[in-house]
Amino acid sequence: MASSGDDSPPETTTSTQLIPSLPDDVALNCLARVPRHHHPNLSLVSKTFRSLPKSPLLYTTRSLLSATETILYVAIRIPPSTGARWFTLLHRASTNSNLLVPIPSCPSPSLVGSAYVAVGSEIYVIGGSIKDVPSSNVWCLDCKLHTWRRVGNMRVGREFAAAGVIDGWIYVIGGCVVDNWARAINWAERFDLKAQRWEAVASPGVEVREKWMHASAVMGGRVYAMADRNGVVYEPKGKEWGVPEKRLDLGWRGRACVIEDVLYCYDYLGKIRGYDPKERVWREVRGVESLPKFLCGATMANRGGRLAVLWEGKAGSGGCRKMEIWGAEIEVERRGEGEIWGKIQWSGAVFTVPNESAIVNCLAATV
């Protein structure tokens, strides 16, 4: 006997609203204020929320509400791979701790000696060598969606180049051999972030052209590129090249960062110091004596005005020996007559990796 319409099960309707009791624009306004470290849990609330952390609209709203955050991203070389794997620093509210969690790595994982710059919510991986051959490839990480895309190639292949961002341009210096005219005119070049294209930058004389750069920074509208024996400084506004102060070169070790036009790094004694380019003097950062001495394997980044430091430490013994990645975040300020003081906000182990691993770089992106 055929059933009547009254016997049919009622139709179920699925609400596509973010929060059923609120209009979507109001709900989005609320959800955009949720801190980034809660997004993994947010995606578990419902099917509607599942794709929300990957929504460009969410990040547009966060920007309009000034609810963006500065998030740390870290590249680590983990054997047997010669390339870098990528992680982001996540705050775990339940234990009030911080840990590195993996994200998709660069599609060209074998790059060695790349240059890195962060521009807003994006991180650019520039050049690097593949099987000892310098590459002109450039990759860009979208830190909002954790996706990678190819960017137009540089004019020449580079490894261990210096890079910095000024007024919508990425400047890349060195990292290539200047053994012929074609390479010499491209020893330095710049990338137009808006037009997404490269162009040459008139470079200085051969006497200051070095192939490999061990550090770089942007201070006072200038790009500083420190080479193995000396360095150069370029001011895009006046298109002028110069030589950095000798005092700056002598005190610079490891991956440095700039906060309010002061360069921070660690010195040959493993202490954190800050360099003021106006006063041309290095000063030790006081108040952080509980941190270890950074003789090697440390890198720094400006995380929203605070000094983020990552370093390598050992864990375990014998055949089970591992390496721990440790981190700290320091609030820095100037006091008195040029003194620099730091207040440690947190410090602790954030990841454990196989021995012989190495921190490649860390950068901060705004999402």
Side-chain angles (χ1 to χ4, degrees):
M1 179 179 176
S3 61
S4 66
D6 293 338
D7 295 330
S8 301
E11 291 186 6
T12 58
T13 59
T14 302
S15 172
T16 58
Q17 286 183 282
L18 292 172
I19 301 176
S21 60
L22 294 175
D24 274 353
D25 58 342
V26 176
L28 187 61
N29 190 295
C30 296
L31 295 171
R33 302 171 190 272
V34 176
R36 177 71 176 263
H37 64 264
H38 286 312
H39 285 192
N41 293 330
L42 188 66
S43 64
L44 301 176
V45 172
S46 67
K47 290 183 179 179
T48 307
F49 280 18
R50 188 173 301 165
S51 60
L52 188 62
K54 298 289 186 180
S55 169
L57 182 58
L58 174 69
Y59 291 100
T60 300
T61 306
R62 283 168 65 85
S63 180
L64 292 173
L65 295 173
S66 298
T68 55
E69 302 171 74
T70 305
I71 307 296
L72 201 66
Y73 287 82
V74 186
I76 304 175
R77 184 170 297 114
I78 301 177
S81 172
T82 58
R85 291 174 57 185
W86 283 80
F87 301 82
T88 185
L89 188 68
L90 181 69
H91 178 72
R92 187 162 49 189
S94 60
T95 57
N96 193 29
S97 59
N98 298 274
L99 71 160
L100 293 178
V101 295
I103 63 170
S105 292
C106 181
S108 182
S110 57
L111 290 171
V112 176
S114 300
Y116 301 82
V117 294
V119 184
S121 62
E122 296 181 327
I123 293 175
Y124 287 78
V125 179
I126 304 166
S129 61
I130 301 176
K131 296 182 178 179
D132 296 325
V133 177
S135 170
S136 61
N137 292 346
V138 182
W139 291 90
C140 179
L141 170 64
D142 183 334
C143 298
K144 295 176 180 177
L145 308 179
H146 289 166
T147 57
W148 291 85
R149 74 173 191 275
R150 277 285 297 273
V151 177
N153 286 7
M154 292 182 290
R155 301 163 73 91
V156 296
R158 301 176 189 272
E159 59 177 343
F160 300 105
V165 181
I166 296 178
D167 296 334
W169 296 84
I170 297 177
Y171 291 85
V172 185
I173 300 171
C176 61
V177 178
V178 290
D179 56 357
N180 58 54
W181 178 82
R183 289 183 182 273
I185 64 172
N186 291 311
W187 183 75
E189 58 184 308
R190 65 179 188 172
F191 182 70
D192 187 335
L193 287 162
K194 185 176 181 180
Q196 295 282 293
R197 66 169 180 265
W198 291 93
E199 62 180 49
V201 173
S203 61
V206 176
E207 67 275 7
V208 296
R209 289 191 187 131
E210 292 282 347
K211 178 182 178 183
W212 289 303
M213 300 293 173
H214 67 76
S216 60
V218 173
M219 292 186 290
R222 298 178 176 182
V223 181
Y224 288 78
M226 311 308 291
D228 292 333
R229 291 184 296 274
N230 48 45
V232 296
V233 56
Y234 180 66
E235 185 177 10
K237 187 175 181 179
K239 298 182 179 180
E240 297 177 351
W241 290 91
V243 178
E245 305 85 28
K246 192 65 177 178
R247 187 175 298 175
L248 171 62
D249 191 12
L250 291 175
W252 194 344
R253 292 196 71 208
R255 302 284 184 180
C257 78
V258 176
I259 300 175
E260 295 184 354
D261 223 26
V262 172
L263 175 75
Y264 292 90
C265 68
Y266 56 93
D267 63 14
Y268 290 93
L269 297 176
K271 298 180 179 180
I272 300 177
R273 297 201 297 171
Y275 179 82
D276 188 328
K278 294 181 180 179
E279 299 182 11
R280 298 186 177 184
V281 62
W282 285 99
R283 291 188 172 89
E284 181 181 343
V285 178
R286 303 183 179 183
V288 295
E289 290 77 14
S290 61
L291 295 178
K293 296 188 181 301
F294 305 109
L295 297 177
C296 62
T299 185
M300 301 180 179
N302 178 348
R303 187 182 181 188
R306 290 182 175 180
L307 179 62
V309 187
L310 289 181
W311 67 92
E312 301 167 3
K314 300 298 181 182
S317 60
C320 298
R321 193 172 181 83
K322 298 284 187 178
M323 186 179 84
E324 283 186 334
I325 305 293
W326 282 67
E329 192 167 296
I330 306 167
E331 186 174 345
V332 290
E333 64 173 343
R334 302 189 197 188
R335 297 182 189 173
E337 298 182 359
E339 291 184 351
I340 303 177
W341 283 80
K343 181 179 181 180
I344 301 173
Q345 301 299 307
W346 64 266
S347 175
V350 295
F351 200 57
T352 301
V353 292
N355 203 17
E356 307 302 330
S357 298
I359 301 173
V360 177
N361 212 327
C362 71
L363 305 99
T366 303
V367 297

